[in-house]
Amino acid sequence: MQNVQQADTSALRDQMVSDIYARTEAIVSQTVTLPENKTQLDFDRRLDNVLTSRWLGYPIMLLMLGTVFYVTIAGANVPSGLLADFFFWIEGYLTAVFTWLGTPAWVHGVLIEGLYRGTAWVVSVMLPPMAIFFPVFAILEDFGYLPRVAFNLDRFFKKAGAHGKQALTMSMGFGCNAAGVTACRIIESPRERIIAIITNNFVPCNGRFPTLITLATLFMGGAVGLAYGSLVATGVVVGLVLIGISATLSVSWLLSKTLLRGIPSNFTLELPPYRKPQFGRLMIRSVYDRTIFVLKRAVIVAAPAGVATWILANIFVGDLSILQHAALFLDPFARAIGLDGYILMAFILGLPANEIVLPILIMSYLSTGAMTEMDSLAELKNLFLSYGWTWLTALCMMLFSLLHYPCGTTMWTIAKETKSTKWTLVAILLPTGIALGVCFLVAQTVRFFGWV
């Protein structure tokens, strides 16, 4: 009965909105003359007929998404390598200064091999993709395309029992989940705002993109050679993003039917006119408001994490370091979900910032007690292969990175926004359980059929 009433109310509201707009258009056509804007209005209407079309809207969305990721993947490799070379060139001089000063080895280890290298890794890996991704994304936003994406996805969120504005907060999560959680304030309904906050973590933020892009390039793109490697890697990353969106809708539906039952709010989205992107303003906003902001936050949390990792890798109990003991303890459980103990330990130590997971993993494998520079992606792949990696290991690590608990900053933001320990714990435990379950099913299925 409740569903019937809800369907009737929704249909009545849609009919009322349609009638209001039809009546408004009739009045405007009889009383207002805008000859100079007619061309623009016709252009907007024709473009909307394509971009929000039931048949063309979704393929165009995927094409736009794929183009953004392809440009980011193909364009970030070279500047990332140059930045890494620059920072490790500086490290040589810093080491020379410490040697000249005669500082103890542990001081050099903590400050240079832990603090400096951890920070250098984060900047080298994160800055180039962010410097490309954010401006390109901002161009689409300034052009007026993102409201069309929200319009296209609105019906899916409505069917999931969530609010249509969740499409906008989800889009912001691609840059930073903490920012996406904060943006959920635009949703008036407390019930739907909690759903949007809990599920924002399922879209990959910029801290997770380096891990996804690197592993997709090494193990999926690398399997087909250089000619089509970037295209295949792009396809894999787009596929992971679609899995994240599917998880967002599925969990929203599950929450709306269990812990957060209620009637979805109605939502009328007025599409703004298209406009020519203002590139100068976009570059400034992208660099200062997004790139620098996210990078600064990453560096602040990565620096102490690098020190902590160095200490764990250099304090030995018996023949093994504390880091190695912990990895071996976690190994049986990690194997069951397609990972190994070192990968799981890297995720635990990378709690402050997802972008430092990969550097911590490399350091653990090399067991040198410091985050070490790799000269090329091929050398990095050889390191992984020497520890028994297969395409299944890479796939499970990407899935776990996509679906697992939020980073420390996002956890803090969730607690601040919800002012609830209960919903903060749900936002942590629910995605973690889903990540473990999905990785377990994928790993066991692939092994059962002998595909690896």
Side-chain angles (χ1 to χ4, degrees):
M1 178 62 72
Q2 184 183 25
N3 290 336
V4 172
Q5 290 176 343
Q6 179 181 334
D8 291 342
T9 304
S10 180
L12 176 61
R13 182 186 177 281
D14 290 343
Q15 185 60 49
M16 290 174 63
V17 172
S18 299
D19 291 344
I20 290 172
Y21 270 82
R23 181 60 176 163
T24 304
E25 286 185 354
I27 295 173
V28 168
S29 64
Q30 294 171 6
T31 58
V32 180
T33 302
L34 298 170
E36 64 277 9
N37 291 334
K38 188 174 186 303
T39 303
Q40 177 66 37
L41 290 174
D42 290 342
F43 171 78
D44 288 0
R45 188 172 291 112
R46 285 198 297 270
L47 199 53
D48 276 339
N49 288 337
V50 176
L51 296 181
T52 61
S53 162
R54 184 178 291 271
W55 302 107
L56 294 177
Y58 302 114
I60 291 175
M61 280 171 51
L62 290 177
L63 183 62
M64 291 277 193
L65 192 64
T67 302
V68 170
F69 287 133
Y70 180 79
V71 170
T72 303
I73 291 172
N77 289 334
V78 173
S80 282
L82 293 175
L83 274 176
D85 291 342
F86 171 75
F87 282 121
F88 285 96
W89 174 73
I90 294 291
E91 182 189 316
Y93 285 96
L94 292 176
T95 299
V97 171
F98 275 68
T99 303
W100 179 73
L101 292 173
T103 55
W106 68 268
V107 174
H108 174 267
V110 171
L111 295 181
I112 302 301
E113 297 178 350
L115 182 73
Y116 179 82
R117 281 190 184 178
T119 307
W121 257 106
V122 170
V123 175
S124 302
V125 172
M126 286 189 62
L127 181 57
M130 283 197 306
I132 298 172
F133 178 79
F134 280 142
V136 174
F137 199 75
I139 289 173
L140 293 177
E141 184 181 11
D142 207 48
F143 179 62
Y145 182 64
L146 291 191
R148 274 75 187 177
V149 173
F151 178 85
N152 289 334
L153 293 177
D154 176 51
R155 63 177 68 106
F156 292 106
F157 281 103
K158 185 180 290 184
K159 289 180 179 178
H163 199 286
K165 288 182 182 176
Q166 191 174 332
L168 295 173
T169 62
M170 183 187 71
S171 298
M172 292 198 67
F174 283 113
C176 173
N177 290 131
V181 168
T182 304
C184 293
R185 295 175 184 175
I186 65 174
I187 300 175
E188 295 82 2
S189 163
R191 182 188 73 86
E192 291 161 338
R193 186 163 61 247
I194 293 292
I195 292 177
I197 288 174
I198 292 174
T199 57
N200 192 272
N201 178 65
F202 292 119
V203 290
C205 65
N206 205 65
R208 285 179 280 177
F209 272 123
T211 298
L212 303 181
I213 291 172
T214 301
L215 296 183
T217 303
L218 290 178
F219 286 90
M220 283 68 179
V224 297
L226 294 175
Y228 302 101
S230 294
L231 282 176
V232 172
T234 299
V236 171
V237 175
V238 170
L240 289 168
V241 170
L242 293 179
I243 291 174
I245 294 174
S246 300
T248 300
L249 293 169
S250 301
V251 175
S252 296
W253 178 84
L254 180 66
L255 289 171
S256 69
K257 300 299 180 185
T258 54
L259 296 177
L260 291 163
R261 280 194 294 269
I263 299 175
S265 302
N266 288 309
F267 159 55
T268 301
L269 177 64
E270 186 172 355
L271 297 177
Y274 294 103
R275 62 182 181 181
K276 183 180 178 181
Q278 300 177 9
F279 290 99
R281 185 174 59 84
L282 279 179
M283 292 302 295
I284 294 174
R285 195 178 70 192
S286 299
V287 171
Y288 286 100
D289 292 351
R290 297 184 178 180
T291 305
I292 300 298
F293 170 77
V294 175
L295 191 64
K296 178 182 175 184
R297 185 176 63 85
V299 168
I300 288 174
V301 295
V307 173
T309 305
W310 186 91
I311 292 173
L312 289 175
N314 282 273
I315 296 178
F316 285 77
V317 178
D319 295 331
L320 300 175
S321 67
I322 294 177
L323 187 65
Q324 290 170 316
H325 277 293
L328 290 176
F329 174 77
L330 295 171
D331 198 65
F333 174 72
R335 296 282 177 188
I337 57 174
L339 308 176
D340 65 27
Y342 288 98
I343 300 174
L344 206 53
M345 195 62 197
F347 276 109
I348 294 172
L349 292 174
L351 174 66
N354 288 307
E355 46 271 36
I356 62 174
V357 170
L358 203 55
I360 290 175
L361 178 61
I362 295 170
M363 184 201 69
S364 303
Y365 277 154
L366 293 175
S367 297
T368 59
M371 296 186 184
T372 306
E373 178 188 15
M374 306 301 296
D375 293 334
S376 66
L377 287 177
E379 190 178 345
L380 182 60
K381 182 177 181 180
N382 289 333
L383 174 67
F384 290 155
L385 292 175
S386 69
Y387 277 84
W389 275 51
T390 64
W391 63 267
L392 176 62
T393 316
L395 177 62
C396 287
M397 182 169 176
M398 287 190 288
L399 287 171
F400 193 82
S401 177
L402 175 72
L403 301 172
H404 78 307
Y405 48 80
C407 71
T409 304
T410 305
M411 288 182 187
W412 180 80
T413 306
I414 292 172
K416 182 180 175 184
E417 292 296 319
T418 62
K419 295 181 175 60
S420 165
T421 304
K422 171 189 171 184
W423 294 122
T424 304
L425 288 175
V426 171
I428 296 170
L429 297 177
L430 186 59
T432 303
I434 292 173
L436 294 174
V438 169
C439 289
F440 178 81
L441 286 176
V442 170
Q444 297 305 319
T445 301
V446 171
R447 288 167 183 162
F448 178 79
F449 287 103
W451 292 337
V452 292

